[in-house]
Amino acid sequence: MNIQWNRREFLQRASAATMAALAAGAPISNLLTSCRGKAGANSSADTVILLWMAGGMAHTETFDPKAYTPFEKDMEGNRVLSTFKSFPTKLDGIHFSDGLQSIGQVMDKGTLIRSYVAADMGHILHSRHQYHWHTCYEPPQTVAAPHIGSWIAKELGPKNPVIPAFIDIGQRFTVGEAEELKAFHTAGFLGNEFGPFFIPDPSQGLESVRPPVGMDAKRFERRNQLYNELINNSPVGEFGSDYQRESLKRSMEQAYALLNSPESKAFDLSTEPKKSYDIYNTGRFGLGCLLARRLTEQGARFISVTTEYEPFKGWDTHENGHTRLQDMKKQIDGPIAQLIKDLDEKGLLDRTMVVLASEFSRDMMVEGRPDAKVKEQVAQPDILSDLKFYGMHRHFTDGCSMLMFGGGIKKGFVYGKTADERPCKTIENPVKVDGIHQTIYHALGIPPDTQYEIEKRPFYTTPDGKGLAVKELLV
């Protein structure tokens, strides 16, 4: 593996993989291992909601706090493990960082993982680690690897025929590393119909399922017909296989069916009671959680809600880590807790798995992991002369936190442990991304050996079909 490759190389290889996926015919299911006809059997979940903390959420500042050290001018950076006080949660002996009290009060309904370990891929790029988390495959690949949501959409199909099986809320492709993000927001060789239905702004969700202002239904239908003609003249039409062209057309037919359905009203957040709306209304992420709940009620299969990745914003704290996290916690704490409570009260949590995750964690002093350090990207001084240096600014891969609720996940459970002193790395029960993916698939009833033949070789849901569910997390 070339550990020095950069964004340009990532894009070149991702583009080549996309073209390879377009040219591929229908993925051939191995008759001995296909889960067709078996998917969903013995399942504990029907729906998955992924709450994506894009940018690298520091575990010691959120769900795995260490000793609190208040800021002092000219203090030693190595003294600082957490920049927030900690507060007790609903679980005996378990504390969360200040600002996450609401989530702490619903932890009796879910599991806290304190031992997720991200992959070693050399020089750290957010886009590569996000690609790896969402597809379970380390880039580069010779063919575009499907997003986990696309695998689920393909294997289980829509829960409600008019609601897209895979919905992505909150990520725009007009900011930051747009092309890199597109590389894993795809169904790859599975076909466009299993790709994400994008809602960049949940407050305008209704706009995603109705014609533009000034366009009546007949004109929209004529445009839909024209779109089918354009497909034949597009790169998909020119380079894609018959399977890929038909898959793209089916994706448009699904969107058209949604437009004319009563379920489309779920996208209109203005119909939500004010008291409920106000709890969720902390910004685009909070409203995304509200939309996810409404779509779950209508039969969505897989929903991703992201805080959105934009370089040097959100969780991507290269400086001002403490002050930035104060704002991020305000955005996520109330909405996530309310989402869990609402799903539980509506009787949906038992069959809906909610997963909160990030591509890696952060530390003040270590870039990468203690025994596999990589090139530093942040000018973090040893002596903190200014408040802007007070926080977790370097990328850390050896200890990350996750939350999981519902869908067969244990309640009031804690798994894994990190060291209390720097480096605050995983010291018990390490969990990797293939284990997380297979735990989700297991809960949904998707067999671990699910595969399709691409480029005359089997392509599994997790590399080589070797991923194993973390059974300790399940009831």
Side-chain angles (χ1 to χ4, degrees), residues 27-39 151 155 438 445-454 457-462 464-466:
I28 302 172
S29 177
N30 186 313
L31 295 178
L32 296 179
T33 59
S34 169
C35 72
R36 269 296 166 206
K38 297 188 293 182
W151 277 111
E155 295 309 309
Q438 285 296 355
I446 299 175
D449 56 356
T450 298
Q451 60 169 282
Y452 290 91
E453 184 179 307
I454 297 295
R457 63 184 177 91
F459 200 106
Y460 295 85
T461 51
T462 58
D464 299 321
K466 294 181 179 179

Side-chain angles (χ1 to χ4, degrees), residues 260-274:
N260 295 287
S261 72
E263 285 91 342
S264 66
K265 294 178 182 177
F267 293 82
D268 185 3
L269 299 186
S270 68
T271 62
E272 183 73 13
K274 185 178 185 303

Side-chain angles (χ1 to χ4, degrees), residues 308-373:
E308 187 176 54
Y309 177 64
E310 185 174 359
F312 313 119
K313 295 187 177 181
W315 295 107
D316 191 17
T317 53
H318 285 227
E319 64 177 17
N320 291 308
H322 176 77
T323 53
R324 289 265 295 282
L325 259 65
Q326 288 177 319
D327 179 63
M328 293 307 298
K329 291 175 183 179
K330 290 177 183 177
Q331 291 184 38
I332 72 167
D333 186 47
I336 291 175
Q338 192 62 39
L339 173 64
I340 300 304
K341 289 189 285 188
D342 282 355
L343 291 173
D344 190 37
E345 291 171 1
K346 293 174 182 291
L348 296 170
L349 189 59
D350 284 348
R351 300 290 301 182
T352 302
M353 181 181 289
V354 181
V355 181
L356 181 149
S358 189
E359 62 264 41
F360 43 66
S361 184
R362 290 187 177 271
D363 183 71
M364 183 174 285
M365 309 306 294
V366 180
E367 179 80 10
R369 67 179 34 156
D371 55 353
K373 292 183 180 179

Side-chain angles (χ1 to χ4, degrees), residues 265-285:
K265 294 178 182 177
F267 293 82
D268 185 3
L269 299 186
S270 68
T271 62
E272 183 73 13
K274 185 178 185 303
K275 182 179 179 181
S276 173
Y277 182 90
D278 288 346
I279 294 173
Y280 284 101
N281 188 22
T282 60
R284 289 171 56 241
F285 176 80

Side-chain angles (χ1 to χ4, degrees), residues 184-196:
F184 61 85
H185 282 87
T186 175
F189 60 79
L190 293 178
N192 194 270
E193 65 189 292
F194 305 110

Side-chain angles (χ1 to χ4, degrees), residues 18 20 45-46 62 100 108 133 176-178 204 270 317 322 324 326 330-331 357 373 391 408 414 416 441 465 467:
T18 299
D46 300 315
T62 53
L100 298 173
D108 59 325
W133 200 100
E177 301 173 3
Q204 299 177 15
S270 68
T317 53
H322 176 77
R324 289 265 295 282
Q326 288 177 319
K330 290 177 183 177
Q331 291 184 38
K373 292 183 180 179
V414 180
Y441 292 137

